[in-house]
Amino acid sequence: MSKVVLTSTPFHGHVAPFLATAADLTRRGHEVLFYTGSRFEKQIAETGARFVPYPADVDYDDRDLDATFPRRAGLSPLDRLAFDLKYVFSDPTPVHDRRLQEILAAFPATTVIGEPSSFGMLPIALRAPRSERPLILSLGILPPTFESADTAPFGPGLPPPSTEQERAQYAAMKPAVREALADAQHHLEKIFESMGVSLPDFFRNSMVTVPDQWLQLTIPSFEYPRSDAPSGFRFIGALPADNVGSYQLPEWWGTLGNRPVVVVTQGTLENHDLTQLILPTIQALADLDVTVVAATARPDGPDAVRAELGKVPNNVHLIGYVPFERLLPLSSLLITNAGYGGVQTALRHGVPLVVAGDTEDKPEVAARVAWSGVGVNLLTGRPDVPAIRKAVEKVLGNAAFKSRALDLQAEYLRHEPLDTIAEIVERQA
């Protein structure tokens, strides 16, 4: 049996795929050590993996990043992205590098598995040839970031070029994108130099090319074709979203299915201001013959919605946490702020989408929803009531969206991501 180290930035959406991975590998008899933030200790223990927490000086709670990083508060989306790259993800890298070296000295793993923001594992791959170190895998928990002749630069959510003129326009955009991120690039280069290694390329390329393999958590039909993808890049399908074994169903659960079920969520990170998507969705669908499940992903979310609305429409169920693996098979439509994991989960269940996201990687995810034909992209993170109503009626009223979502579901079912990861791990033993 193999020894495996998992490591993930302590964001719920980053850690969730690793919980399924840890549980599966331990069931197969492998020894798994999981290095991440302290708030996930209980969930990791439930997988059977051994938990190792981040050192206290680099630990934080993703539900309130501004408490740990007060200078982050109030920044524009673009400035917040640059801030996070430098101070949330990059600055702790030397601490994580040292800690991972200590872990590997005591626990000689043959495989280290991280994700795009796990910068601390990259020096392992840069310091030594493959024969002298563990295999380094990265799980693609967000759309691929690397530059390609066949796509626009990552970020603004532009579809692949359809003409030579568009291809030329996209090529001309790439130096400007690099320039916009030059400060973050320089910051990260200095950090890697402090660890005695060099970042070999633009960080968005290095995130994908430095690991020995990049396992993209989706299917080809939900990703733009690239003729120049790195040799270690492969699609493996989408991992299960969560563990639903101990969840107690609400009283109204048995009524679902009497009419179309529309689920709305702002995800686990961007849920502080529920007026972005959840409240306007409730207002938009109040008189439609649908059941709305508003999943606020925070314990006080239902009370916050009631406080804003005064009276909650009769066709709405409010809930904090809900296991989407159970809810989505009963659903006709997911309205979401375009988190990558949530979109993958919907498509694994053949559920079409309405997406509204404009921060982090969400414009890219939303663009892929429209490009693949599985839903409507509202092109904003704050859609108004009429726009949401129109999009919902369009998706529910046009069978092509559901048909396309079912086509993608069939493609997901042809992948066995947990088997793929286990096979890679077991080849290293």
Side-chain angles (χ1 to χ4, degrees), residues 302-327:
D303 288 339
V305 172
R306 292 186 191 100
E308 287 279 352
L309 290 178
K311 179 175 173 53
V312 177
N314 293 331
N315 68 339
V316 174
H317 296 302
L318 300 175
I319 196 164
Y321 168 77
V322 61
F324 278 58
E325 293 288 351
R326 288 194 178 184
L327 179 59

Side-chain angles (χ1 to χ4, degrees), residues 96-171:
H96 297 319
D97 175 43
R98 289 193 298 271
R99 191 70 188 98
L100 284 169
Q101 290 184 68
E102 294 167 356
I103 288 168
L104 290 169
F107 183 81
T110 54
T111 308
V112 176
I113 307 177
E115 40 83 23
S117 58
S118 301
F119 291 155
M121 73 175 185
L122 300 185
I124 299 170
L126 293 170
R127 281 197 186 97
R130 172 66 192 91
S131 60
E132 299 175 12
R133 59 168 173 80
L135 183 78
I136 306 299
L137 298 183
S138 191
L139 299 185
I141 62 167
L142 76 170
T145 59
F146 60 87
E147 295 171 315
S148 169
D150 302 318
T151 65
F154 184 87
L158 296 171
S162 57
T163 66
E164 286 305 314
Q165 182 181 6
E166 282 187 346
R167 186 179 290 272
Q169 289 172 343
Y170 289 174

